[in-house]
Amino acid sequence: MALYSEKVMDHFRNPRNVGVIEDADGIGEVGNAKCGDIMKIYLKISGEQGSEVIDDVKFETFGCGSAIASSSMATELIAGKPLAEALTLTNKAVTEALDGLPAHKLHCSVLAEEAIKAAVKDYYDKNGIAYDPEQFREGDEPHCCSL
Amino acid sequence: MIYADNAATTKVSKAALAAMLPCFEQIYGNPSSLYAFGQDAKEALEDARARIARCLNADPKEITFTSGGSEADNQALRTAAALGAKKGKKHIISTAFEHHAILHTLDALKKEGFEITLLDVHENGLVTAQQVAEAIRPDTALVTVMYANNEIGTIQPIAEIGAVCREKGVLFHTDAVQAAGHLPIDVKAQNIDMLSISGHKFHGPKGIGVLYAKKGIRLENLIYGGAQERNKRAGTENLPAIAGMAAALEESLAHLDETTAKLIRQRDQLIKGLAEIPHSILNGDAEHRLPSNVNFCFEAIEGESLLLLLDDKGICASSGSACTSGSLDPSHVLLAIGRPHEVAHGSLRLSLGEDITDAEIRYIIDAVKEVVDYLRNMSPVWRSLNEGRQQFVLP
């Protein structure tokens, strides 16, 4: 009996989209080294404002197996997709795509959702694009240790 | 597979297993039964007790069998607390990096009105007898200091601490779970009043332990019932486990000198190899440490992912990261020696078995180097450190 699903282990052992985009259009970093996980998402975006597409996505993660797998899966779910779609990605979708996570690891999928939203927000901010701040509300799920 | 997690548990030795098997099929009577068949079991029980007592330089009457180290720790602390409370002494001295069986019992005693002093264990993971002497007060009921730390392997000056306690008339307990079978124990020479050990840490079976209590110390019951263990621990004795533990302890001590020499050489080879990894640090004193214990922190990576990748390479190890501790904080031991949270998350404990080979040590060094490198290359913290956007914590 393994700690994680086959899907989680596959994405942990062979993470998709690891790396950096030097001229990224949006960068999102969430988490805290003190808590033991940091995720950083880089987005390359093209297309007219309002109908942008994610051309490329990369991630860097400091964290446990499920944090790495959640980042990998989240990037796979949004690669090549319209930017608007990336904003609708939920931690639940990431968890389901991984065939589930142990209860105490669900915060990793929350971090993945937040990292992607932070990268999109960064792109909007850099380009002066107006957005509804409600879309970037932080999740309710606690994801940090007692500092 | 390379099993390098012997501080977690060990394989039952052939000698232990051979001692256990007859207790399942032949000597299966109840030691409390009066017929000869039951008395045969009683004889085997008392034989094991006498042999364990000899291993500790104790009297058989001072040996109480428990379900393991945690129960022995609980009973020792409850006993000292009850004895102290009768005399109005409600102060207990311990250290910040004890096992949770001690720390959580102390938490419970605190709620019952005891005052607890936890001594600083310093960056090297060692307390001194002088610290203990300075902390003892007229109302101190107990000093409890572990013999060797389970995570970083540091060996405390037990005999000196015992001497201080003896001189001041304070009870002294040591959690010797990591020490028994791996370090010499002599309860008389080391001035120990109470001591806990656990069978499965030295190739005995799980679910069995010993509480040694010096003659004259009236144990407080945790479990009430039958008259077993001189009324101090009810429940039919787990004879197979007791016999296995006795055989395992004797066997470990019979080879102690040669095993110690071999493991220290291999441990130091492993430490030397892992120290080559940049921005890493050995946790705990390099000399006063268990021959089997290696514990490192590697900056900018997290321990659980390190363990999973080592598992893929056939290496079983452990870590003090929050993700592996089952809590949200990293190991209290690493925090106690002053490692910051972010560094404590990147810890690795390797606890070697007596049969580990030099080739396996080299394999572990190579595997850890490769995995640390791989994880650092996907770590945003590592990038940030290398690009000078934040300062390295470890040199």
Side-chain angles (χ1 to χ4, degrees):
Chain A
M1 184 59 197
L3 182 62
Y4 293 125
S5 71
E6 278 300 314
K7 257 302 189 17
V8 172
M9 287 310 291
D10 175 40
H11 276 263
F12 168 64
R13 289 190 181 112
N14 311 293
R16 282 57 147 181
N17 308 308
V18 175
V20 177
I21 300 174
E22 294 296 347
D23 58 344
D25 298 308
I27 299 174
E29 184 175 314
V30 296
N32 184 324
K34 289 195 164 164
C35 305
D37 35 30
I38 294 184
M39 285 184 198
K40 195 166 182 179
I41 298 277
Y42 302 83
L43 296 175
K44 191 73 198 150
I45 293 164
S46 69
E48 292 291 308
Q49 189 180 324
S51 58
E52 298 99 327
V53 170
I54 297 174
D55 281 340
D56 195 9
V57 52
K58 296 273 188 230
F59 83 87
E60 288 182 305
T61 290
F62 157 78
C64 61
S66 62
I68 291 170
S70 295
S71 326
S72 168
M73 180 55 85
T75 59
E76 199 164 59
L77 289 172
I78 64 161
K81 298 279 169 62
L83 192 61
E85 222 173 281
L87 270 183
T88 65
L89 180 78
T90 63
N91 81 295
K92 196 160 171 275
V94 174
T95 307
E96 279 168 8
L98 287 168
D99 292 339
L101 285 171
H104 65 288
K105 296 289 188 176
L106 284 174
H107 74 276
C108 295
S109 63
V110 175
L111 273 187
E113 175 192 328
E114 288 179 355
I116 285 171
K117 286 185 173 165
V120 174
K121 184 170 178 289
D122 180 54
Y123 163 75
Y124 285 163
D125 286 341
K126 278 177 182 158
N127 292 280
I129 300 169
Y131 53 82
D132 175 7
E134 262 301 289
Q135 281 185 297
F136 300 100
R137 198 170 50 88
E138 280 191 16
D140 298 328
E141 193 101 14
H143 57 72
C144 196
C145 49
S146 51
L147 288 176
Chain B
M1 182 182 92
I2 301 176
Y3 184 74
D5 203 16
N6 288 275
T9 193
T10 59
K11 180 178 171 176
V12 171
S13 70
K14 286 198 170 66
L17 191 60
M20 292 175 78
L21 289 175
C23 303
F24 288 111
E25 289 190 316
Q26 284 121 42
I27 323 167
Y28 64 83
N30 189 322
S32 300
S33 300
L34 61 83
Y35 41 78
F37 183 58
Q39 289 305 301
D40 288 348
K42 174 84 176 168
E43 199 178 311
L45 174 69
E46 294 314 321
D47 174 61
R49 192 189 309 278
R51 284 155 56 209
I52 286 174
R54 244 191 329 270
C55 290
L56 305 175
N57 193 22
D59 187 273
K61 288 196 188 72
E62 298 172 317
I63 301 299
T64 300
F65 293 115
T66 68
S67 65
S70 291
E71 187 188 326
D73 282 345
N74 273 258
Q75 193 166 10
L77 267 53
R78 286 286 169 189
T79 294
L83 291 171
K86 271 185 209 158
K87 298 177 197 156
K89 295 182 175 185
K90 299 190 86 173
H91 174 235
I92 298 175
I93 299 167
S94 190
T95 75
F97 72 167
E98 295 294 310
H99 190 273
H100 285 129
I102 296 290
L103 290 179
H104 289 171
T105 306
L106 292 177
D107 284 344
L109 288 169
K110 197 172 172 183
K111 286 191 189 123
E112 294 166 25
F114 281 81
E115 199 184 324
I116 313 296
T117 299
L118 295 182
L119 300 175
D120 179 15
V121 295
H122 307 106
E123 211 231 333
N124 61 4
L126 294 171
V127 291
T128 63
Q130 196 191 332
Q131 274 177 281
V132 173
E134 284 165 6
I136 289 177
R137 315 188 311 208
D139 64 339
T140 303
L142 172 75
V143 170
T144 174
V145 174
M146 66 201 321
Y147 195 147
N149 183 270
N150 50 310
E151 289 187 37
I152 59 172
T154 50
I155 300 168
Q156 308 307 315
I158 290 307
E160 288 89 331
I161 293 172
V164 164
C165 294
R166 195 61 54 92
E167 189 198 315
K168 304 225 178 192
V170 176
L171 276 182
F172 174 49
H173 166 257
T174 184
D175 171 347
V177 166
Q178 292 291 332
H182 305 284
L183 298 172
I185 296 178
D186 181 329
V187 292
K188 291 194 178 77
Q190 292 172 305
N191 312 301
I192 297 166
D193 296 318
M194 289 191 280
L195 167 139
S196 312
I197 72 177
S198 171
H200 74 108
K201 305 293 191 184
F202 48 82
H203 304 286
K206 293 163 184 64
I208 194 71
V210 167
L211 172 59
Y212 154 81
K214 192 171 180 278
K215 213 170 289 174
I217 296 174
R218 197 180 156 78
L219 290 181
E220 189 74 5
N221 278 63
L222 297 184
I223 298 174
Y224 295 91
Q228 293 90 354
E229 300 301 288
R230 299 177 318 286
N231 276 316
K232 293 304 166 197
R233 205 289 184 180
T236 299
E237 301 86 346
N238 185 352
L239 185 58
I242 290 167
M245 172 169 63
L249 187 57
E250 283 181 334
E251 195 191 31
S252 294
L253 295 179
H255 305 288
L256 190 60
D257 289 350
E258 55 196 281
T259 323
T260 301
K262 172 187 178 282
L263 282 180
I264 285 179
R265 182 181 59 75
Q266 290 176 315
R267 175 198 72 189
D268 291 346
Q269 188 189 347
L270 183 52
I271 289 173
K272 194 170 160 232
L274 296 183
E276 286 169 8
I277 297 175
H279 308 290
S280 69
I281 193 164
L282 176 72
N283 293 312
D285 193 83
E287 278 175 36
H288 298 99
R289 75 187 296 132
L290 287 169
S292 56
N293 179 287
V294 174
N295 189 314
F296 267 85
C297 279
F298 304 107
E299 194 159 4
I301 63 164
E302 193 282 330
E304 191 217 66
S305 42
L306 176 62
L307 295 190
L308 290 169
L309 291 173
L310 289 176
D311 188 18
D312 278 352
K313 291 177 178 295
I315 300 169
C316 304
S318 82
S319 168
S321 84
C323 280
T324 59
S325 70
S327 75
L328 293 169
D329 282 312
S331 143
H332 70 286
V333 174
L334 297 175
L335 297 179
I337 61 166
R339 299 286 178 254
H341 276 71
E342 56 269 42
V343 169
H345 285 299
S347 80
L348 174 69
R349 179 187 73 183
L350 295 154
S351 42
L352 311 176
E354 292 80 355
D355 54 356
I356 194 151
T357 66
D358 288 354
E360 286 172 332
I361 295 285
R362 286 192 295 274
Y363 177 83
I364 294 173
I365 294 170
D366 290 344
V368 174
K369 281 181 176 172
E370 189 187 323
V371 170
V372 169
D373 205 38
Y374 171 80
L375 288 171
R376 279 178 169 174
N377 280 328
M378 72 164 84
S379 165
V381 179
W382 185 245
R383 177 176 304 279
S384 176
L385 289 165
N386 278 293
E387 290 175 358
R389 278 176 284 123
Q390 68 186 82
Q391 293 292 311
F392 282 101
V393 175
L394 303 178

